[in-house]
Amino acid sequence: MPFSFLRLRRRYKDLARLRQIISVFFKYGFYQFIEQVNLARFIPFRKRILEKFPYIDRAFPERLRHAFEELGPSFIKLAQILSARPDLITKTYADEFKKLQDEVPPFRFEEVRNIIQEELGLPVEEIFREFEVRPIAAASIAQVHGAVLKSGEEVVVKIQRPRIKEIIETDIDIMRFIAELMDRYLPEAEFFNPKGIVEEFSKTVRKELNFKEEARNLNRFRRNFEGHKYIYIPRLYPEYLTEKVIVMERIYGVRIDSISEIERLGLERSHIARIGLEAYLKMIFEDGFFHGDPHPGNIFIMPDGRIGLVDFGIVGYLTPELMESLAQAFISLVKKDFDGLIEQYIDLGFVSEEVDIDSFRRDFKADLMDFLVPL
């Protein structure tokens, strides 16, 4: 059922949240946008007159990042996903949104205890010999705590944020509503397809809300990299798995972007880069199944030089046909066969029907030669 303003009015909670979202965007100086999409009626006249704009002198991408951060988990997650798409939102916005990858406030330990007991049926003390009160990491969907099982194994415990499913479902409804208004009132919006972004976000984030899905992904990665010399996937503890709690082996290492720490371990960066690339080539060209959220917080360099991957909530799948097309494109790129690369690019569906193919071929070939052929 299409989202509509009348449906929104029937759900007071959604309406209250919509007002809050609009208020935050107004606070960060996006009044022109609010007015253009016909949402200014949700801002009280007194607020319009008296509101101060402390961030108005800052760049547009920075203000948008602050607004998403204040709006909480759903918008932070959206920004994190968009940060991997500079082709869609430009590099400037992608770089700004990357700052939200690790800057999410944790929720209280009392709530952690309650969720674990509700989900696993036992208090924390009966499952774990030790449990770290301070989280190792806090993200938009969940946070992670270090612990030691009664059997002595060191693990990490990932716990979903309280009421996060309800929060995200409400925000997705509102995002759809705003996307519809953008399509209606902002002709330029068609270039980045706001409704398509919301639908893709909806599919991605709903999968992340079920940790049993993540467990299946983790097990598949363990099978694919079983016995691999340089890639390590942590072990799952299925006896402590629910939709909201997942327990995995704890691996130690430094983030892949901690260059000084990597050098302190005496490891060669070129070697790490090579095995990381080889791992992704294997995922894409052999397995057809790849890690879909490879930001630095999910990739660790272990003391023995292996790369440890974590967080398997977002993954990608490739059909055999798509794998073959990508392989041919990669071969064309290596051989500098620009005509072949352009044909693969078109066959993969990266060029819309509205584009003049002959002009595209000429312009794209010129760009490729300029970028790949040294002077």
Side-chain angles (χ1 to χ4, degrees):
M1 174 182 173
F3 192 78
S4 67
F5 180 62
L6 290 177
R7 178 182 165 199
L8 184 70
R9 290 193 63 172
R10 288 197 297 269
R11 299 173 62 179
Y12 174 77
K13 186 163 52 179
D14 285 10
L15 184 56
R17 175 61 172 161
L18 176 63
R19 290 185 185 278
Q20 181 188 10
I21 290 168
I22 295 169
S23 177
V24 169
F25 280 119
F26 181 70
K27 169 184 171 182
Y28 286 97
F30 296 109
Y31 182 72
Q32 184 178 0
F33 168 78
I34 294 167
E35 197 171 46
Q36 283 179 307
V37 296
N38 199 29
L39 289 173
R41 61 189 182 278
F42 290 101
I43 304 171
F45 179 75
R46 179 180 174 82
K47 186 178 183 65
R48 296 184 214 178
I49 300 299
L50 300 178
E51 182 72 64
K52 306 295 183 185
F53 300 106
Y55 298 93
I56 200 67
D57 59 333
R58 300 189 185 184
F60 196 99
E62 183 183 357
R63 285 189 281 135
L64 190 58
R65 190 252 299 174
H66 281 297
F68 278 15
E69 185 174 23
E70 187 167 330
L71 286 170
S74 306
F75 285 84
I76 290 171
K77 189 65 189 177
L78 176 61
Q80 289 171 343
I81 292 172
L82 289 174
S83 72
R85 295 296 308 273
D87 58 311
L88 188 65
I89 63 171
T90 76
K91 185 176 184 299
T92 302
Y93 283 90
D95 288 346
E96 192 65 41
F97 287 166
K98 283 176 183 176
K99 297 175 183 177
L100 289 174
Q101 286 176 345
D102 300 302
E103 298 179 8
V104 186
F107 56 93
R108 294 180 301 115
F109 183 65
E110 290 77 7
E111 292 177 299
V112 171
R113 295 177 63 93
N114 291 339
I115 292 169
I116 289 175
Q117 179 149 356
E118 287 172 11
E119 292 295 308
L120 300 181
L122 292 170
V124 169
E125 293 78 11
E126 292 190 26
I127 303 172
F128 304 100
R129 181 192 299 173
E130 300 173 19
F131 197 99
E132 296 174 11
V133 173
R134 185 173 182 176
I136 298 170
S140 52
I141 301 294
Q143 68 187 36
V144 179
H145 290 257
V148 179
L149 293 171
K150 289 287 188 178
S151 54
E153 291 111 323
E154 293 187 74
V155 297
V156 292
V157 186
K158 186 174 178 180
I159 308 101
Q160 202 170 103
R161 286 183 173 272
R163 301 170 295 283
I164 188 64
K165 186 173 184 178
E166 178 185 349
I167 291 167
I168 285 179
E169 290 295 343
T170 296
D171 284 352
I172 286 173
D173 272 353
I174 292 170
M175 287 177 188
R176 284 200 182 105
F177 175 52
I178 295 174
E180 287 178 8
L181 294 178
M182 290 173 70
D183 272 356
R184 186 183 309 166
Y185 296 113
L186 297 176
E188 61 271 25
E190 66 175 326
F191 293 109
F192 58 91
N193 187 15
K195 287 200 287 190
I197 288 174
V198 173
E199 289 310 310
E200 194 61 34
F201 169 71
S202 172
K203 285 189 284 187
T204 299
V205 79
R206 282 181 174 135
K207 287 181 180 179
E208 279 201 84
L209 289 170
N210 184 351
F211 288 170
K212 290 183 178 180
E213 185 79 21
E214 179 172 353
R216 283 191 286 270
N217 296 336
L218 184 153
N219 283 332
R220 183 168 174 178
F221 275 112
R222 276 183 67 84
R223 290 194 300 271
N224 289 348
F225 284 96
E226 186 176 7
H228 196 284
K229 187 176 180 181
Y230 293 115
I231 303 296
Y232 190 77
I233 310 296
R235 171 191 168 191
L236 174 73
Y237 290 83
E239 62 270 37
Y240 304 118
L241 172 66
T242 74
E243 288 190 4
K244 296 181 180 180
V245 175
I246 184 170
V247 177
M248 295 166 281
E249 174 188 4
R250 185 170 189 172
I251 60 175
Y252 289 93
V254 300
R255 285 170 47 124
I256 197 168
D257 60 347
S258 300
I259 304 301
S260 61
E261 289 295 308
I262 291 171
E263 291 175 343
R264 188 181 60 81
L265 290 172
L267 302 173
E268 291 186 16
R269 286 182 288 167
S270 59
H271 172 69
I272 291 168
R274 185 171 63 253
I275 62 177
L277 175 61
E278 288 174 356
Y280 254 86
L281 292 177
K282 170 177 162 52
M283 293 181 207
I284 292 170
F285 296 120
E286 291 183 25
D287 306 330
F289 179 71
F290 60 91
H291 194 299
D293 193 18
H295 70 75
N298 290 337
I299 308 173
F300 292 90
I301 309 305
M302 302 168 73
D304 60 5
R306 290 181 295 175
I307 294 179
L309 298 178
V310 300
D311 195 347
F312 305 96
I314 301 177
V315 297
Y317 300 86
L318 299 170
T319 64
E321 294 77 17
L322 184 54
M323 291 166 64
E324 177 65 24
S325 294
L326 288 171
Q328 291 300 323
F330 188 75
I331 291 169
S332 297
L333 178 64
V334 171
K335 291 182 174 181
K336 293 187 173 60
D337 175 10
F338 301 126
D339 291 321
L341 180 57
I342 291 167
E343 291 306 315
Q344 290 298 328
Y345 195 87
I346 294 170
D347 290 343
L348 285 166
F350 293 148
V351 183
S352 66
E353 295 178 359
E354 295 80 18
V355 173
D356 182 278
I357 295 297
D358 291 333
S359 297
F360 171 79
R361 282 194 175 97
R362 286 195 303 271
D363 294 343
F364 193 27
K365 186 172 183 177
D367 289 341
L368 287 170
M369 293 181 68
D370 185 54
F371 182 69
L372 295 172
V373 177
L375 296 175

